[in-house]
Amino acid sequence: MKIIKINLIIVALLLFTGCASISYQPTLSLEISTKTIDAVAQVNTFVDKSPFTDKKKLFGGLSITDPNTLVGQLSTEVTNAVVNDFSINGVFKRIAKRIDEPDLIISGEIYRFYGKSKINTLGWVTLPINLVWYLGLPIYSFDGEVVIVVKIHNVSGDLLGEYTGKAMFSEKKSIYSNQMLALPTKVNRIFSQAILQIRDQIIADAHKL
């Protein structure tokens, strides 16, 4: 009888995990730029080319780009985060989403942007004997990836540079270290890594811009 009760509690926790609701907003946490490019840049809203599977709702898990979890549109939120970072940290002399007579036009494409927490195959296979989970089996999977491409054109439409940033994580955890609520932080960390790569490439090309 005790085993049945424990199993019911575990199943209830699984359902709770799948129904748990958090809000996610893409944000960047980067240091000041090592150099300021002497140009005025306008940023067009990035285009979301990420696959539908990146945003798919998960049973018994969480997807931070699920429309019910993500605050706003991914393309808008990512663009706003990049503009805010480039402005605050002095990547360009001036940068905004709308500027009169800009020197440069910045555009971007989002190819991957996701973070997922779910019960993995080991968890589902051992569900009928889930007491073994207390041995510390890694039944939770945490995965995320960000791939963004940024292009910079002059006002005549000539391509001056193309820059790619990518980062990912993949972890497995036991019931003792389920980090579902830390998923937004993990995704923002790789988002920051990807944008830092792009920033460094842009700074290296400053003489061309």
Side-chain angles (χ1 to χ4, degrees), residues 10 130 133-140 173-178:
I10 291 174
N130 50 53
W133 293 357
Y134 291 97
L135 298 176
L137 294 182
I139 64 163
Y140 289 104
K173 301 290 184 179
S174 71
I175 59 174
Y176 301 112
S177 54
N178 181 356

Side-chain angles (χ1 to χ4, degrees), residues 34 42 49 52 58 93 130:
T34 56
Q42 175 176 298
K49 294 189 173 183
F52 168 75
L58 297 176
K93 180 172 67 177
N130 50 53

Side-chain angles (χ1 to χ4, degrees), residues 2-14 119 122-140 174-176:
K2 280 187 176 180
I3 292 178
I4 293 175
K5 286 183 178 179
I6 292 173
N7 284 342
L8 289 174
I9 291 172
I10 291 174
V11 171
L13 287 173
L14 283 176
I119 306 294
L122 178 62
W124 291 116
V125 168
T126 56
L127 182 59
I129 52 169
N130 50 53
L131 289 180
V132 300
W133 293 357
Y134 291 97
L135 298 176
L137 294 182
I139 64 163
Y140 289 104
S174 71
I175 59 174
Y176 301 112

Side-chain angles (χ1 to χ4, degrees), residues 17-28:
T17 300
C19 297
S21 177
I22 63 173
S23 294
Y24 171 67
Q25 183 170 27
T27 57
L28 293 166

Side-chain angles (χ1 to χ4, degrees), residues 24-90:
Y24 171 67
Q25 183 170 27
T27 57
L28 293 166
S29 181
L30 296 172
E31 298 294 334
I32 192 168
S33 176
T34 56
K35 182 176 184 178
T36 297
I37 296 172
D38 187 22
V40 176
Q42 175 176 298
V43 182
N44 294 336
T45 300
F46 286 17
V47 178
D48 181 9
K49 294 189 173 183
S50 60
F52 168 75
T53 51
D54 281 6
K55 309 172 185 67
K56 189 176 180 181
K57 187 176 181 64
L58 297 176
F59 175 74
L62 175 69
S63 170
I64 55 99
T65 46
D66 170 0
N68 292 323
T69 302
L70 182 65
V71 175
Q73 295 292 320
L74 181 64
S75 55
T76 300
E77 296 301 323
V78 168
T79 306
N80 290 343
V82 171
V83 171
N84 186 56
D85 172 75
F86 280 24
S87 177
I88 290 176
N89 290 316

Side-chain angles (χ1 to χ4, degrees), residues 7 24 48 71 80 94 96 102 133 136 146 149-150 169 183 190:
N7 284 342
Y24 171 67
D48 181 9
V71 175
N80 290 343
R94 188 156 64 94
W133 293 357
V146 172
V149 174
V150 167
F169 66 85
L183 193 60
I190 61 172

